Amino acid sequence: MMPDRSTPVPSLTDRGALERNRRRALHLGPADFLHRIVADEIEDRLTEVNRRFSDVAVVTGLPEFWREAMPGARIVADAPQLDLQPGAHDLVVHAMALHWAEDPVGQLAQAARALRPDGLLIAACPGGRSLHELRDVLTRAEAEIAGGLSPRVLPMGEIRDLGGLLPRAGLALPVADQITQVASYRSLFHLARDLRAMGEGNALAGRLRRPTRRDVLLRAAALYAEDHPDPQDGTRIRATFELVFLTGWAPDASQQKPLRPGSARIPLAEALARTRKPE
């Protein structure tokens, strides 16, 4: 039986709630430490590229931070349709917003189209193990107290899956890597406050539309303290943030190409023999 393509695909993200969360974060005094880590990483990576970039665009949900982090760059909202002109930029940075996209391939493809030939795209977003401790304790507490589950923590992609988006978006020479940042908090409630200040509160379309019961939160906080303590200070808890970096280039004739299968000049066995060290 063929699938009914007239049936709409359920949305993952409530864009209205996401925008409200981001506006609220500005009033809380945004917690931007993950963005600062990402900005430093991107700066380090750009220093390794023997090129000067003059027409830069940054796609982000935190424009105030990136306007200061990359002066002179064009700041673009991470809307479903990106406000980018084809071939206008030699560098596009997609900064900490891809995880909220309904169509991440579409976001990367739009960014790729905005590049000139041999232009560079760098995307950074949280990866699959981010907040795994929080996801664990909320799931267990809700199942134990309320007898059911509701969407609470955004599902985030694994590095292999995210890296596979680059060729699908039409980018060449794809590279995906990650770093892990572990933060320490006094309690689950202090972590939740930081997430709100990041604009990363629950904006899932399928979330509960009423406040979480206090007994569920208290049980989750107790489980967090028991099972995920900070190893440096057992009175605190740890929170893992996995940051994935995706790098790809707009195709250009000057770029290196992989060898065609069967085009090697010497047999593999002979190549291995040449590199083998004497005993």
Side-chain angles (χ1 to χ4, degrees):
M1 181 181 295
M2 295 294 291
D4 181 5
R5 300 190 181 278
S6 65
T7 303
V9 178
S11 295
L12 173 68
T13 303
D14 180 341
R15 293 293 304 186
L18 179 61
E19 295 303 325
R20 287 194 298 273
N21 289 347
R22 289 171 172 175
R23 289 194 298 270
R24 189 179 301 120
L26 296 177
H27 297 293
L28 293 173
D32 56 14
F33 75 94
L34 292 179
H35 287 260
R36 282 188 273 113
I37 292 170
V38 167
D40 289 344
E41 282 286 324
I42 289 174
E43 183 178 359
D44 289 344
R45 290 157 196 254
L46 291 176
T47 61
E48 298 174 1
V49 178
N50 187 24
R51 184 176 308 181
R52 181 181 179 132
F53 296 98
S54 57
D55 293 300
V56 181
V58 180
V59 179
T60 182
L62 193 64
E64 293 78 9
F65 173 86
W66 286 95
R67 195 169 285 114
E68 294 184 7
M70 301 192 78
R74 184 163 185 267
I75 306 300
V76 177
D78 61 317
Q81 296 298 319
L82 299 180
D83 185 18
L84 292 171
Q85 296 300 314
H89 301 281
D90 51 10
L91 171 64
V92 175
V93 175
H94 204 297
M96 295 296 285
L98 194 62
H99 56 303
W100 285 113
E102 293 282 350
D103 180 13
V105 176
Q107 287 279 298
L108 294 178
Q110 291 180 71
R113 284 195 294 271
L115 291 170
R116 297 169 190 154
D118 206 31
L120 176 62
L121 169 71
I122 301 179
C125 63
R129 283 186 55 78
S130 295
L131 298 174
H132 69 89
E133 304 95 342
L134 180 62
R135 192 189 315 271
D136 168 50
V137 300
L138 286 174
T139 298
R140 290 160 56 198
E142 190 169 25
E144 178 183 324
I145 301 295
L149 298 176
S150 60
R152 295 185 178 278
V153 181
L154 177 71
M156 289 167 268
E158 300 294 336
I159 184 171
R160 180 179 301 178
D161 298 326
L162 291 169
L165 302 181
L166 294 167
R168 292 175 60 191
L171 291 158
L173 307 175
V175 175
D177 63 291
Q178 66 186 33
I179 63 174
T180 300
Q181 179 73 32
V182 178
S184 177
Y185 290 93
R186 287 170 56 189
S187 70
L188 178 148
F189 301 103
H190 290 84
L191 168 60
R193 185 176 63 188
D194 231 16
L195 291 175
R196 287 194 295 272
M198 294 178 191
E200 295 289 341
N202 190 350
L204 290 167
R207 72 192 186 281
L208 285 177
R209 303 307 172 102
R210 61 179 184 273
T212 301
R213 289 169 46 178
R214 182 168 177 77
D215 53 352
V216 172
L217 292 176
L218 290 173
R219 179 57 179 154
L223 289 170
Y224 210 136
E226 293 169 8
D227 296 343
H228 305 290
D230 180 349
Q232 305 300 322
D233 182 348
T235 66
R236 299 172 66 87
I237 61 171
R238 71 175 188 268
T240 300
F241 298 94
E242 185 179 82
L243 300 175
V244 176
F245 293 83
L246 308 175
T247 304
W249 295 82
D252 184 71
S254 66
Q255 292 168 350
Q256 293 181 341
K257 304 290 192 300
L259 290 175
R260 188 178 67 257
S263 63
R265 294 180 179 274
I266 61 174
L268 177 60
E270 183 178 340
L272 293 174
R274 290 184 183 184
T275 58
R276 186 177 300 152
K277 294 182 179 180
E279 297 181 359

